[in-house]
Amino acid sequence: MKALIFALALTTVASAAAAQTPPAAASLPPAPAPSYGPPIGLEAAQGLIDRAIAYGATKGWRLAVAIVEPSGELVAFARMDDTQYGSIHVAQRKAETAARYRLPTAVMEERVQAGRIVSLSNAEALTIGGGVPIVAGERIIGAIGVSGATAAQDAEAALAALAGG
């Protein structure tokens, strides 16, 4: 008899707890990212590198700059004199991540800082600002990755290059 009462009490408590659990909030799907287009050419890639380096020089930053095609494969790369060697790899990884995930790496960094740490479990993604997709005609044709200053400054240099100065 005690076992029956205990079972009924447990069922009642479980039912009450389930009734108090609010339903999961429906979330809207994110807006679709632009489609991939034909890869950026070498001349355009070199122009972006030149603009990013020129911008960094005006700020006193020593930058490494990588341009990749939509697949994340390297198209062009340059580094300023005395740039830390670690920035070579980081610039390329930022560009790869921005191209492959169709998203600025600064957005990914903000999401991690806001608590969405699941991105950190993906060894293929570098969630540090400074990688930005290159969009032409509403299609991603590559990405730029900049490293050597702070993440915010790297992103600033990448955006300045894309803006034309």
Side-chain angles (χ1 to χ4, degrees), residues 47-73:
L48 289 171
I49 288 173
D50 293 344
R51 288 195 296 273
I53 287 176
Y55 186 83
T58 67
K59 301 287 190 169
W61 304 332
R62 295 177 302 232
L63 304 175
V65 183
I67 307 294
V68 301
E69 59 184 28
S71 68
E73 295 301 317

Side-chain angles (χ1 to χ4, degrees), residues 12 16 21 42 50 55 66 68 71 73 82 88 97 119 132 134 150 164:
T12 303
T21 304
L42 180 58
D50 293 344
Y55 186 83
V68 301
S71 68
E73 295 301 317
D82 202 33
I88 294 168
T97 300
S119 298
V132 181
I134 301 167
T150 67

Side-chain angles (χ1 to χ4, degrees), residues 51-138:
R51 288 195 296 273
I53 287 176
Y55 186 83
T58 67
K59 301 287 190 169
W61 304 332
R62 295 177 302 232
L63 304 175
V65 183
I67 307 294
V68 301
E69 59 184 28
S71 68
E73 295 301 317
L74 190 63
V75 174
F77 173 83
R79 68 170 180 84
M80 299 169 72
D81 292 340
D82 202 33
T83 300
Q84 59 195 12
Y85 293 115
S87 290
I88 294 168
H89 181 67
V90 172
Q92 292 177 26
R93 290 285 313 280
K94 288 178 180 183
E96 290 170 9
T97 300
R100 291 178 179 164
Y101 293 94
R102 306 177 201 195
L103 192 66
T105 56
V107 171
M108 298 173 86
E109 180 180 13
E110 290 167 4
R111 290 177 179 173
V112 168
Q113 291 173 342
R116 185 165 169 72
I117 61 171
V118 67
S119 298
L120 299 177
S121 67
N122 182 351
E124 296 298 315
L126 189 64
T127 58
I128 302 170
V132 181
I134 301 167
V135 179
E138 298 184 21

